[in-house]
Amino acid sequence: MSVPMKDGSIKRRPLKRGWTDTLLLVVLLLAVWQGLAWVIGAAELPSPFTTIAFTGRLLTSPSFWPHLLETAKAFGVALLLSVVIGLATGFLLGMNRFAGDLLEPVLVAVYSVPKITLYPILLLLFGLGIAAKVAFGTIHGVIPIALFTLAAVRNTRPVLLKTGRVMGLSTREMISGILLPAAMPEIFTGLRLGFSLTLIGTLLGEMFASQRGLGFMLMNAIGLHNVDVIMALTFLLVLFAGCASGFLLYLNRRFYQHV
Amino acid sequence: MTAAKKVQIATVAPKVHVSLGAVDKEFAQPGRPGEIVHALGPVDLDLRQGEFFAVVGPSGCGKSTLLELVAGLSTATRGEVAFEGRPIHGRIPDGIGVVFQEDASFPWLSVHDNIAFGLRRMKIDRAERERRIGVALDMMGLSAFARSFPAQLSGGMRQRVCIARTLVTEPRLILLDEPFGALDQQTRLLMGDEVLNLWRKTGATVLLITHSLDEAALLADRIGVMSARPGRLIDIVETGWPRDRDSRIAQEEAFGAITARLWRLLRGESLKAMGKVGGET
């Protein structure tokens, strides 16, 4: 049972935090990385400078791009599916008390199953191609998005819905005009989580049964103990995930700074 | 001669705007199947066109349920609620505006867009829309805050935003569900004046649900007094105030007499509502 918050507001940090904080964090992380590289030794953990230099070379090598493209394609489709199915499920269950009460525990249960145990089944269903990777990425991302959306829709203050009903809004207008904007800040949290989990799922899918993609490259590099490639790929992925997450956060703050 | 006669007829038999006929409301208890709570009724009540009607009663007597029935937000178990001669049966009728006790402003919209929200879906051209919003902003003293967001406003101002949002749709019946319940005393008095002003200017019928006897005595033409649950109307008190009144009537002798009468009617019921076998009045 979810109880709507008394004043309905969610505490939010001010929009302008400045870039200095972010910059400071990046510098700190690089410093820690460099320090670890000195302690452990460059053979096991290349320094930031070496990694960035190698990443540059990797990005200019023609054999890298097909892999990146493959991953981008799989991730893009998986993310789209996660978001669409997750939002739809969340809204449906959030608006239907009975179905929500019934299926929410099921979703949580499925969410806590290590998805990798399902991978053999997915492979049998979808074969070794891109479809299996998309499916694996989707099952990672879709549930958190659905759960966050469900909670957000349920927590929408009843008085806002009553206001909509008094104005005679149709179900469609109710969703687009009240439920979606009211639930958006929480949904955004689900989207950020779903984004990173979909990425993890897609890469995992590539690591275990694929001949293409960044996940495959990474697995290959681990097999060959090619530390430079491992570091460069990890660096790229962290950079991408960090930027994307930051961008989503920025959008959220930008649109909902007054909420 | 005929004109005078007409006026007389109008005063003798005012047009009924809202009518409740033997209305009952029962609720099923969530989690306890078979158990039914009789929340309200039977209630018989006619609201006259253009009057300011207040309902007072002990807490939990079904005042808000009464309002929800008239608003079409819930359906009567028995009996009929009619607005402008047409029965409301769980259908949201046009021409009714509701202001709730809780802050119902949309936090993601500016004051201007909050007020425009209900108008957007009505087929009104832009110029007329902006004109109405301008009038409402002005009337509610919000003109300087059109671009502000609810989070930047005080509770009283947010409630004014909600009133303005209802006002622009030009409702013929305005339902107020303890709209000032969350506000401080001074703000309440001033908001009361604003509501009276609005009522005069729009000519709408107003139904005010309140737990404040003072508020009812100050604002209403007639006050319906409700019993403890299941809420029934035990009396209707006429205040006899002139139409162009304001909160200064609180200083008049008649005001004290009205609140005293309301309290005489309600004291026993309030005790009952608190679970005490209250008898002596």
Side-chain angles (χ1 to χ4, degrees):
Chain A
M1 285 283 280
S2 48
V3 180
M5 263 172 283
K6 189 83 186 159
D7 61 344
S9 62
I10 298 155
K11 285 274 176 286
R12 213 157 289 279
R13 280 163 295 182
L15 181 67
K16 295 256 174 190
R17 282 268 301 275
W19 290 97
T20 46
D21 288 7
T22 319
L23 205 67
L24 202 69
L25 184 70
V26 169
V27 169
L28 199 73
L29 282 175
L30 287 175
V32 169
W33 182 359
Q34 182 64 59
L36 281 174
W38 277 330
V39 173
I40 297 171
E44 281 75 31
L45 186 72
S47 70
F49 181 75
T50 322
T51 303
I52 292 168
F54 188 83
T55 307
R57 256 179 290 147
L58 191 69
L59 286 175
T60 48
S61 81
S63 63
F64 172 75
W65 289 96
H67 287 299
L68 181 69
L69 217 68
E70 171 83 3
T71 301
K73 217 159 60 181
F75 174 62
V77 178
L79 185 64
L80 190 72
L81 285 174
S82 291
V83 170
V84 171
I85 300 172
L87 284 181
T89 312
F91 268 98
L92 231 62
L93 298 185
M95 288 163 71
N96 186 328
R97 184 104 240 168
F98 177 71
D101 285 347
L102 198 71
L103 291 176
E104 200 207 0
V106 178
L107 281 180
V108 173
V110 173
Y111 184 48
S112 56
V113 171
K115 257 65 70 187
I116 202 78
T117 54
L118 300 173
Y119 202 39
I121 303 170
L122 287 181
L123 283 177
L124 283 175
L125 275 173
F126 294 103
L128 280 171
I130 192 167
K133 291 193 248 177
V134 169
F136 203 56
T138 307
I139 61 167
H140 273 81
V142 73
I143 296 178
I145 295 177
L147 284 175
F148 270 89
T149 307
L150 189 160
V153 169
R154 254 192 205 175
N155 285 345
T156 304
R157 291 166 58 227
V159 73
L160 300 184
L161 300 179
K162 269 198 217 169
T163 305
R165 284 177 63 198
V166 167
M167 288 174 177
L169 301 195
S170 65
T171 310
R172 223 198 67 229
E173 290 169 315
M174 202 77 142
I175 293 176
S176 64
I178 296 179
L179 272 175
L180 191 65
M184 212 52 203
E186 266 182 90
I187 291 178
F188 249 102
T189 310
L191 287 178
R192 284 173 59 216
L193 198 61
F195 178 92
S196 53
L197 286 171
T198 306
L199 184 61
I200 289 175
T202 312
L203 289 169
L204 278 177
E206 285 179 343
M207 285 172 87
F208 289 108
S210 179
Q211 298 302 311
R212 295 167 77 184
L214 296 185
F216 165 72
M217 264 185 96
L218 196 58
M219 208 57 186
N220 224 11
I222 293 171
L224 296 171
H225 196 72
N226 190 339
V227 183
D228 281 332
V229 174
I230 297 173
M231 287 303 288
L233 284 174
T234 312
F235 178 68
L236 279 177
L237 287 170
V238 168
L239 204 66
F240 171 65
C243 288
S245 183
F247 179 65
L248 282 174
L249 199 64
Y250 165 79
L251 280 185
N252 190 15
R253 294 230 187 107
R254 172 86 208 228
F255 292 144
Y256 293 93
Q257 53 181 308
H258 308 291
V259 176
Chain B
M1 188 64 201
T2 45
K5 206 172 178 184
K6 257 187 203 153
V7 168
Q8 206 186 5
I9 287 167
T11 50
V12 167
K15 228 172 101 190
V16 172
H17 203 195
V18 179
S19 74
L20 290 90
V23 168
D24 268 291
K25 181 69 185 177
E26 289 169 354
F27 289 110
Q29 284 275 69
R32 291 191 207 160
E35 258 183 68
I36 283 167
V37 175
H38 190 188
L40 180 78
V43 171
D44 282 282
L45 175 65
D46 285 342
L47 298 189
R48 299 165 190 158
Q49 178 94 49
E51 81 170 324
F52 199 127
F53 194 94
V55 174
V56 292
S59 47
C61 74
K63 303 184 290 272
S64 292
T65 306
L66 182 81
L67 179 131
E68 294 204 340
L69 289 172
V70 176
L73 285 169
S74 86
T75 314
T77 312
R78 283 180 295 277
E80 193 180 79
V81 184
F83 171 59
E84 295 176 346
R86 284 206 301 271
I88 300 168
H89 204 76
R91 182 182 54 84
I92 310 279
D94 276 341
I96 296 187
V98 187
V99 179
F100 298 100
Q101 173 178 14
E102 282 173 86
D103 168 28
S105 59
F106 299 132
W108 59 90
L109 294 178
S110 68
V111 168
H112 174 278
D113 292 351
N114 255 288
I115 298 172
F117 188 88
L119 285 180
R120 288 258 156 81
R121 28 186 337 276
M122 296 166 89
K123 301 273 173 273
I124 296 173
D125 66 79
R126 202 189 147 80
E128 168 65 7
R129 198 166 75 203
E130 291 307 317
R131 188 195 65 79
R132 284 198 199 178
I133 294 169
V135 170
L137 280 169
D138 195 41
M139 200 187 243
M140 289 289 119
L142 291 166
S143 299
F145 301 94
R147 297 279 146 226
S148 304
F149 283 79
Q152 301 163 315
L153 305 178
S154 69
M157 284 164 90
R158 269 183 255 173
Q159 199 58 301
R160 291 213 291 265
V161 172
C162 295
I163 295 175
R165 186 172 62 194
T166 301
L167 184 67
V168 287
T169 61
E170 300 187 345
R172 300 182 294 283
L173 172 65
I174 301 175
L175 306 175
L176 305 171
D177 189 3
E178 302 194 21
F180 318 132
L183 307 179
D184 62 86
Q185 183 65 22
Q186 292 99 303
T187 314
R188 292 174 74 123
L189 284 170
L190 293 176
M191 293 284 285
D193 282 344
E194 276 166 23
V195 166
L196 279 175
N197 196 12
L198 188 156
W199 166 66
R200 272 190 296 271
K201 280 188 186 162
T202 59
T205 309
V206 175
L207 173 64
L208 168 75
I209 307 292
T210 178
H211 56 253
S212 160
L213 305 184
D214 287 355
E215 203 165 271
L218 217 109
L219 298 174
D221 293 317
R222 292 194 301 157
I223 302 159
V225 182
M226 281 175 78
S227 68
R229 196 161 79 186
R232 293 181 181 84
L233 278 175
I234 46 180
D235 203 352
I236 292 179
V237 176
E238 300 245 4
T239 58
W241 299 127
R243 201 174 159 80
D244 59 339
R245 56 186 176 257
D246 62 39
S247 55
R248 280 170 295 186
I249 54 177
Q251 291 144 16
E252 288 188 25
E253 228 172 279
F255 174 77
I258 293 165
T259 48
R261 184 168 166 209
L262 291 174
W263 183 231
R264 261 202 312 282
L265 288 162
L266 272 174
R267 190 167 177 274
E269 297 299 331
S270 296
L271 284 169
K272 257 189 248 169
M274 286 176 70
K276 299 190 176 146
V277 193
E280 56 8 321
T281 40

